[in-house]
Amino acid sequence: MLPWIQLDSATIPGEGGELRLKQRGSEFSIMLGANELMNSRLSGSEEALATLSWERIRTHQKPGILIGGLGMGFTLRAALAVLPEDAGVTVAELVPAVIAWARGPMAEVFKGGLDDPRVGIHQGDVGEAIRAGKVAYDAILLDVDNGPDGLTRKSNDRLYDFAGLRAARDALRPGGVLAVWSSGPDPDFTRRLKDSGFAVDVVNTRANRKRGARHVIWLAVKPAR
């Protein structure tokens, strides 16, 4: 078996912690300490984050999408595959090196997604983009951590508390969806979403379509009126 080779590392802004990009043959992995945050062979649940969201906004005209977390681009690619040509997609990525990895060693994984004319990059905190966007988005897709309980940055918890959910609701257009990826269930977060005025579906999905670990996606829809 081929050994893993570390290609690069990057400090997470604000709170430290180090991301490490590793490669084994054509396979890539992004690690935080002993935790593997993502792997290029496991894309099913990240793709579902985009496709399940699209099912809920497909009647919206000129949809605007905010994706929190670039990762390995699986959510972005899945969104571009279903969105119309007049859509706009903003990807918020906090760690500059992740964007560089997408254009460098992982370019084959991204397959030109960042060069799509519908795509713009916000290099910074997705929370800032949410708070700045009043009724700006039809969908906000969050895959910035291990779920509502922050792993890479404790400040990510602010996305999922009542103030963060209120900001997301204000940033969505009527009928828009807040979609959140998680490595596991969180009943308290489900209750917070409902208490924040969203209609909520909780979907279990596999890490690699029909195989792999079970992940969770919350689909929280803002009322149409």
Side-chain angles (χ1 to χ4, degrees):
M1 180 177 291
L2 292 172
W4 283 104
I5 299 171
Q6 182 167 317
L7 301 180
D8 198 10
S9 63
T11 300
I12 300 170
E15 297 179 23
E18 184 181 72
L19 297 180
R20 292 177 289 123
L21 175 64
K22 301 172 69 176
Q23 182 178 9
R24 180 174 64 186
S26 61
E27 180 182 2
F28 291 90
S29 174
I30 295 179
M31 304 284 295
L32 174 68
N35 296 297
E36 183 176 62
L37 299 182
M38 58 203 76
N39 185 290
S40 59
R41 296 174 60 190
L42 302 173
S43 60
S45 59
E46 288 86 352
E47 293 167 352
L49 186 66
T51 56
L52 292 172
S53 299
W54 171 242
E55 290 174 4
R56 284 152 176 80
I57 64 164
R58 62 188 316 142
T59 61
H60 292 212
Q61 301 298 308
K62 296 183 178 180
I65 313 296
L66 174 63
I67 297 177
L70 177 59
M72 292 187 174
F74 297 127
T75 298
L76 173 61
R77 282 172 48 195
L80 294 175
V82 295
L83 287 169
E85 292 302 314
D86 60 359
V89 181
T90 300
V91 181
E93 174 53 55
L94 181 69
V95 184
V98 173
I99 301 171
W101 296 343
R103 298 191 182 280
M106 289 198 297
E108 180 59 28
V109 176
F110 277 80
K111 299 186 184 301
L114 293 183
D115 299 320
D116 190 294
R118 294 171 288 181
V119 176
I121 295 290
H122 169 80
Q123 185 176 304
D125 190 338
V126 67
E128 297 173 357
I130 290 173
R131 290 188 293 272
K134 299 298 182 183
V135 199
Y137 302 109
D138 296 279
I140 299 172
L141 282 53
L142 296 181
D143 181 10
V144 297
D145 213 315
N146 227 32
D149 185 17
L151 173 67
T152 62
R153 298 174 78 223
K154 291 305 295 179
S155 61
N156 283 337
D157 291 347
R158 293 182 303 204
L159 295 170
Y160 309 112
D161 62 18
F162 280 112
L165 295 178
R166 183 166 58 250
R169 193 172 184 269
D170 290 344
L172 287 169
R173 296 167 183 158
V177 60
L178 169 66
V180 178
W181 182 96
S182 176
S183 62
D186 188 332
D188 289 340
F189 181 59
T190 303
R191 284 191 289 270
R192 284 201 302 278
L193 284 167
K194 292 178 178 179
D195 291 345
S196 298
F198 290 100
V200 183
D201 288 328
V202 183
V203 178
N204 292 298
T205 185
R206 291 285 191 178
N208 202 24
R209 299 178 179 89
K210 296 182 179 180
R211 298 182 291 108
R214 289 187 179 275
H215 295 156
V216 175
I217 295 173
W218 286 270
L219 297 156
V221 177
K222 178 178 177 176
R225 293 184 180 180

